Amino acid sequence: MSISSHLFILGSLLVLLIYTTQPPSLLLLRGASMGPIAYHSPDLAWNTHLLVKTVPKKHGYFLHITDMHVDDDYTPGATIKSACHKIKSSGSSHVAGPLGTPGEKCDSPPQLAQATLDWIAREWRDKLDFVVWTGDNARHGWDNSIKRKRKDVYSTNQKVTDMIQRTFGSSHSATSLPVIPCLGNNDVFPHNSIHEGAKEKDLLSFYEHLWSQWIPVDQRSSFRQGAYFVTTVSPHLQVVSLNTLYFFNRNPAVMNCNKGSPGDKQLFWLEKQLTQAQLQGTKVYIMGHVPPSSRDFYGSCLKKYISTVSKYTDNVMGQFFGHLNMDHFMLYSEQMKVQDMPFLPDLQEDHDVHTTRDIGAYVTWLRDMYVSLESVSDPGQTSSPSSPLLVVQVSPSVLPVYWPAVRIYRYDTGEGADYGTLLGYSQYHANESAYHAASSGPLEYSLEYTTEELYGLKDLSAKSYFQMAKQMVQGTEEGNRTWKAYLQNMFVQAHNSKFNG
Ligand SMILES: *[C@@H]1O[C@H](CO)[C@@H](O)[C@H](O)[C@H]1NC(C)=O
Ligand SMILES: *[C@@H]1O[C@H](CO)[C@@H](O)[C@H](O)[C@H]1NC(C)=O
């Protein structure tokens, strides 16, 4: 007999031994280099061989990638004035770059999306457990001479999905990673607008088919209803993919989250998932495109979202969004009185890209949000919030509004009650100036900062963010320093000094 079959027999015996000494409902396997993985035993009792071979190793990292905004008509060297579409007529020096044009009103060339995924494949592919992918794969509709059509939105999404599949594996590959997609406001047609169910049959069946490898079969009906679903990424962790366009105040097909509205139905569904997860002791990450805020959500939707998720803060370990292109976080509590929360003045029609908008107003709004945490601070005990606090993570985009960016989260995969706790993230960005200056080589992303080192956060819990946010607005020297660093990261350093806070 070969050594490997000896090992196999030994392994099987071990498994049987462990199995027979464990409570029947749950089988825990402990490996030297991996955390424990719990299985419900009934299906597996007869198949210990399979069990040994299919124990997935958890690395404790996942990727969040968002807002690629791929534009097939992007033309390097074209004038920026033409939305990077027409080749320059005369020797203007300020033209579309080969991998995007930071700080300008242009979308991304497909090469930027590919170069980004290539970097992830080189540096991170083998260390990731799953991928959170929060939409806006298609371009904006800025150039009136090349109007976006439904088929363009679909074909760009097809193209980006193919790229993602080549990077993380198709359903046929044994090593493929779970990828969780969602719709962005540029992935629907027309822009921002989406109905529910049969009224939106064409679009919903297109994406159901396109993303079928990632949408569990038992979730197809909720997906066909409104493009939301839940998937299991490890035995104790689920990811809920929301269609935030039903909460989005730019979606002309919905008006609020009153009873019977698509948003209300989605929140009812969400609550059902969260209740089940709580009963099963499963942790949940929530993801979507548009982050909850009084700026982007209908008031009734924001209120219901906050009150729903607030009931499950022991299970909801993270909330991941994109859309705003700026690296920051928001904090919400029911105590903070949504109706009193300052609204951001809407400064211009062009809602999506924030290069020319008054950044100062957004920063003031965010700072006011942190200041209003006073209302959830106990006078005596100020290190923890006095009521459940939601942490909403907003990741910066691949689209180089500033510089292209992707984020890698680290989470607890140990056996304790902290399973799924976000421990920190590493923010990466690609210095496009360096890429343009170099004459060869692929686009490289580099580490911009980690939450541990820069902000001193020991984890990404509500308590940690509560303390950080309060510290930043306290007016102390240290608080001012953190606030300054935070703002610098919010507007990922671009070549253009107007973004430097
Ligand atoms: C980006 O690259 C340029 C060109 O190589 C360099 O001068 C600049 O310092 C870099 N910026 C950062 C923040 O690394
Ligand atoms: C912190 O910044 C605020 C506002 O810019 C300023 O008023 C305050 O004096 C600063 N605090 C310290 C200790 O420098």
Side-chain angles (χ1 to χ4, degrees):
M1 247 196 300
S2 69
I3 292 179
S4 65
S5 44
H6 275 299
L7 281 177
F8 166 66
I9 289 171
L10 189 67
S12 308
L13 284 173
L14 243 167
V15 166
L16 285 170
L17 191 67
I18 297 170
Y19 179 59
T20 50
T21 56
Q22 292 289 324
S25 63
L26 208 62
L27 166 59
L28 285 172
L29 261 187
R30 287 184 179 77
S33 61
M34 58 189 88
I37 292 149
Y39 284 91
H40 295 282
S41 58
D43 305 346
L44 293 164
W46 303 106
N47 206 344
T48 50
H49 176 196
L50 188 71
L51 181 61
V52 171
K53 293 220 153 169
T54 55
V55 167
K57 186 174 175 345
K58 288 295 167 211
H59 301 282
Y61 295 102
F62 65 93
L63 166 73
H64 184 183
I65 185 165
T66 196
D67 293 82
M68 287 192 253
H69 287 291
V70 167
D71 178 1
D72 277 317
D73 296 307
Y74 185 100
T75 310
T79 53
I80 286 160
K81 237 177 105 192
S82 68
C84 298
H85 285 157
K86 286 195 199 69
I87 297 290
K88 61 180 169 178
S89 45
S90 61
S92 158
S93 63
H94 199 37
V95 293
L99 287 187
T101 315
E104 300 297 346
K105 210 167 158 180
C106 294
D107 286 303
S108 310
Q111 290 80 357
L112 174 62
Q114 191 58 60
T116 299
L117 291 167
D118 288 346
W119 178 81
I120 293 162
R122 287 198 300 280
E123 300 294 328
W124 278 99
R125 167 69 176 84
D126 298 335
K127 304 179 199 83
L128 300 173
D129 295 333
F130 57 94
V131 176
V132 166
W133 173 30
T134 51
D136 265 8
N137 307 310
R139 69 177 169 92
H140 297 84
W142 289 320
D143 186 350
N144 284 332
S145 68
I146 322 177
K147 278 259 179 247
R148 265 168 44 118
K149 298 194 186 74
R150 181 179 289 273
K151 69 174 173 50
D152 302 326
V153 174
Y154 288 178
S155 72
T156 305
N157 267 282
Q158 176 77 59
K159 183 174 196 151
V160 177
T161 299
D162 290 346
M163 288 182 190
I164 292 271
Q165 264 173 347
R166 280 197 300 273
T167 310
F168 302 110
S170 70
S171 46
H172 309 297
S173 126
T175 58
S176 71
L177 287 184
V179 173
I180 309 97
C182 72
L183 289 177
N185 57 307
N186 288 291
D187 301 321
V188 296
F189 189 87
H191 189 80
N192 300 336
S193 174
I194 177 171
H195 289 274
E196 64 172 341
K199 269 172 123 174
E200 204 62 67
K201 191 162 185 303
D202 193 89
L203 183 116
L204 292 169
S205 26
F206 171 77
Y207 285 104
E208 182 194 354
H209 181 74
L210 183 66
W211 294 336
S212 63
Q213 111 172 60
W214 300 306
I215 307 167
V217 173
D218 66 359
Q219 295 295 312
R220 299 289 166 81
S221 63
S222 72
F223 195 89
R224 276 194 294 268
Q225 174 62 24
Y228 42 89
F229 67 100
V230 60
T231 188
T232 300
V233 293
S234 81
H236 291 310
L237 185 60
Q238 295 185 329
V239 180
V240 170
S241 174
L242 290 181
N243 176 2
T244 51
L245 304 181
Y246 291 149
F247 311 138
F248 188 35
N249 57 21
R250 301 275 159 152
N251 179 1
V254 298
M255 299 306 293
N256 51 48
C257 280
N258 294 352
K259 212 159 170 41
S261 63
D264 179 56
K265 286 184 209 162
Q266 179 173 218
L267 287 169
F268 181 80
W269 171 89
L270 172 66
E271 175 138 30
K272 218 166 85 188
Q273 310 313 311
L274 296 179
T275 313
Q276 267 170 20
Q278 194 174 51
L279 284 172
Q280 294 163 356
T282 303
K283 301 295 175 55
V284 180
Y285 292 155
I286 296 176
M287 54 166 273
H289 180 67
V290 181
S293 89
S294 50
R295 173 178 177 274
D296 289 317
F297 275 25
Y298 288 111
S300 52
C301 299
L302 181 62
K303 220 175 147 149
K304 275 192 189 173
Y305 179 85
I306 294 172
S307 69
T308 303
V309 181
S310 289
K311 285 187 249 170
Y312 302 93
T313 46
D314 288 344
N315 288 78
V316 176
M317 310 308 275
Q319 299 173 66
F320 310 99
F321 298 88
H323 181 63
L324 295 173
N325 306 319
M326 297 177 286
D327 171 354
H328 62 298
F329 64 90
M330 304 182 206
L331 296 171
Y332 292 108
S333 140
E334 282 191 279
Q335 248 45 54
M336 281 160 77
K337 296 280 179 252
V338 177
Q339 59 271 30
D340 302 338
M341 237 146 53
F343 275 62
L344 176 73
D346 208 354
L347 291 158
Q348 56 178 53
E349 272 297 289
D350 181 17
H351 189 66
D352 276 354
V353 165
H354 300 154
T355 50
T356 53
R357 200 189 63 188
D358 184 356
I359 280 161
Y362 194 82
V363 169
T364 304
W365 175 79
L366 203 58
R367 197 176 165 100
D368 285 347
M369 172 187 281
Y370 301 155
V371 169
S372 74
L373 287 170
E374 274 315 319
S375 64
V376 289
S377 302
D378 285 334
Q381 207 257 41
T382 53
S383 68
S384 298
S386 59
S387 66
L389 197 63
L390 311 187
V391 181
V392 169
Q393 299 278 359
V394 185
S395 281
S397 50
V398 171
L399 173 74
V401 172
Y402 309 102
W403 274 350
V406 293
R407 185 178 283 190
I408 305 278
Y409 282 96
R410 193 159 64 81
Y411 69 108
D412 190 322
T413 53
E415 57 193 276
D418 292 338
Y419 186 86
T421 298
L422 295 172
L423 299 172
Y425 67 75
S426 298
Q427 184 60 57
Y428 288 90
H429 64 187
N431 183 341
E432 290 223 335
S433 318
Y435 174 80
H436 292 163
S439 52
S440 65
L443 180 72
E444 294 292 344
Y445 276 72
S446 55
L447 181 65
E448 184 191 8
Y449 70 93
T450 69
T451 46
E452 292 92 330
E453 280 172 38
L454 184 69
Y455 299 140
L457 294 175
K458 73 172 177 30
D459 56 32
L460 304 183
S461 63
K463 186 177 168 187
S464 296
Y465 272 112
F466 176 73
Q467 289 167 355
M468 173 177 165
K470 281 182 50 143
Q471 190 233 22
M472 285 196 296
V473 298
Q474 245 163 16
T476 60
E477 208 174 303
E478 199 196 345
N480 285 2
R481 254 203 316 276
T482 313
W483 175 249
K484 196 170 166 220
Y486 177 66
L487 284 189
Q488 281 206 337
N489 294 333
M490 191 162 163
F491 310 109
V492 178
Q493 301 300 283
H495 61 177
N496 190 327
S497 62
K498 82 180 168 206
F499 306 122
N500 290 348

